Amino acid sequence: PAILAAPAPGAGPGGGGALGLSTGAAAVDAHNEAAFRQWSEESLETCAHCGRTFTPQALAHHRKACTAE
């Protein structure tokens, strides 16, 4: 039952999460955007023909069908 559920860690009058980090919507959006940008730069490769980005395995498959047109 909901009445027996424990409160979320760090949730309380002061706000912030379990690690004391800001948990406002803008802060979460900024963190997610930065994490996605870092992942994209480190993990994705750009197709020389169309400029789209792919994981290395997907790019190998994509190259077979992509043309310079």
Side-chain angles (χ1 to χ4, degrees):
I3 197 162
L4 299 177
L19 300 176
L21 301 175
S22 177
T23 57
V28 171
D29 288 345
H31 172 78
N32 287 342
E33 185 175 325
F36 179 74
R37 188 172 38 254
Q38 180 181 356
W39 174 81
S40 295
E41 292 171 359
E42 294 176 2
S43 302
L44 300 180
E45 297 179 11
T46 303
C47 175
H49 296 295
C50 66
R52 292 173 56 197
T53 55
F54 299 90
T55 61
Q57 183 180 4
L59 181 59
H61 178 77
H62 170 80
R63 282 183 180 147
K64 295 175 186 176
C66 188
T67 62
E69 297 175 7

